[in-house]
Amino acid sequence: MSAIQGCRSCGHSDLATVLNFGQSPLADRLLRPEELGEEDLFFPLRLVVCPQCALVQITENVPPQILYCGDYPYYTSVSPGLVRHFTQAAHAMLARTPLPAGARVIEAASNDGYQLKVFRDAGFEVLGVDPASGPAQAANDAGIETCCDFFSAEVARRLAGEGKRARLLTGNNVLNLIQDLDDFAQAVDLLLEEEGTLCFEVPDFVATVDQAAFDNVFHQNTTYWTATSLDRFWRARGLYLNHIEPAPTFGGSLRVYFERREDPSTAVRARLAEEQERGVPSPEFYAAFAERVERIKAGLCAMIADLRRQGQRIVAYGAAGGMATTLLSYLDLQDNPIEYAVDINPHKHGRFTSGSRLEIRPAEALIEDRPDVALLLAWNFADEILEQQAAFREGGGRFLVPIPEPRLI
Ligand SMILES: [Zn+2]
């Protein structure tokens, strides 16, 4: 484990703290009953902003072999909503950047080839790069050539040496996971053709701030981008932000297009001007966010203490993933006021959350055991969950929705 010496984008060493979560357990790690005697893995979780290039980032680099130790491989194709979204995204990219016949599309973190299929079916050459062996194998089996490796300068040099360069280089929700940004940018430079376009989606940190969604901060998410920080990072490496579109994934994302020649669209100028006007490049913008997060934390802790005084039984709903881990860890609740967690994913049942050590039960426990209140950790799916669990509320149960303002419904 190691903390960064300076900003990952520009090297500036005097970074301003936005939020300090202290020692936080690793997300995505669910314990089996026989592992309960083991110590949890805790790492510092501190969010900082660079006053020079406006990049928001965490200070710690957790080694990838520890960070991605989760034993259930993730296949994008099992989520119909994501497949639908990225199919539309691929068509949007092709509409914006018409490719010549025979052009090659390369995707970083291509998973099981869910998006490259769209480009292949449109008649283009495709090549994926993904380190997860299960999904990479599934892609190769489906005829999507996939190199099972991390997307790095080393791999890029090899592929470029084989003459495999991209007219369109993509990779969604990957830049935010990268610890060594310079290596990533070098890989892009090696693989992108002179006339090529780099286009990808990344979570929009302005949207995170607007929703006070501080639980988006966890160890896997190394960097948190805005149009301003994206523009400054890539500009310094010879790629220019020429177009930007909003995307609905992860509570708000940006789909951004970069090319080697500067020609910004109206949307790019408007978004950068809006961020400038709102003070996004300055640390003060994040100080206001931090204050709001502190208020939410205090409000939630007071509500939970109050419910306990009234003798109400509290459980948690939606038990895993970085968001739930950060939220539970940050609340730092005393005397274990939460009895257990429920989740609809059967792979998680019978296991325990890291840090908070809550047993994960099927969602039916809400009806069979009848707790009084369920703290909704998956608050971003509140509408869907409230509908699914209508019987719990009809029987007198209530949900405690933590974000953007704590409320009982
Ligand atoms: Zn910087």
Side-chain angles (χ1 to χ4, degrees), residues 214-215 292-308 314 327-328 330-331 333 337-338 373-377 379 399-408:
F214 63 90
D215 54 345
R292 190 169 166 210
V293 170
E294 285 294 336
R295 275 202 308 278
I296 293 173
K297 175 183 177 175
L300 264 177
C301 289
M303 283 172 91
I304 289 171
D306 213 37
L307 289 166
R308 291 295 293 152
I314 309 171
L327 210 134
L328 282 176
Y330 185 55
L331 288 182
L333 298 164
I338 298 176
V373 174
L375 170 61
L376 189 55
L377 299 175
W379 60 271
F399 279 100
L400 174 51
V401 182
I403 294 172
E405 291 297 335
R407 62 191 200 280
L408 276 164

Side-chain angles (χ1 to χ4, degrees), residues 235-301:
R235 175 177 294 275
R237 289 152 184 87
L239 282 170
Y240 300 93
L241 178 58
N242 281 347
H243 192 52
I244 190 165
E245 294 163 344
T249 37
F250 303 101
S253 296
L254 300 172
R255 187 181 306 133
V256 282
Y257 296 73
F258 294 87
E259 280 148 344
R260 296 187 193 272
R261 151 191 66 79
E262 188 167 16
D263 182 19
S265 67
T266 314
V268 168
R269 294 178 195 276
R271 172 71 193 225
L272 289 173
E274 185 198 326
E275 289 193 2
Q276 189 68 37
E277 199 168 300
R278 292 191 58 190
V280 171
S282 81
E284 288 73 36
F285 180 76
Y286 302 98
F289 165 62
E291 271 172 35
R292 190 169 166 210
V293 170
E294 285 294 336
R295 275 202 308 278
I296 293 173
K297 175 183 177 175
L300 264 177
C301 289

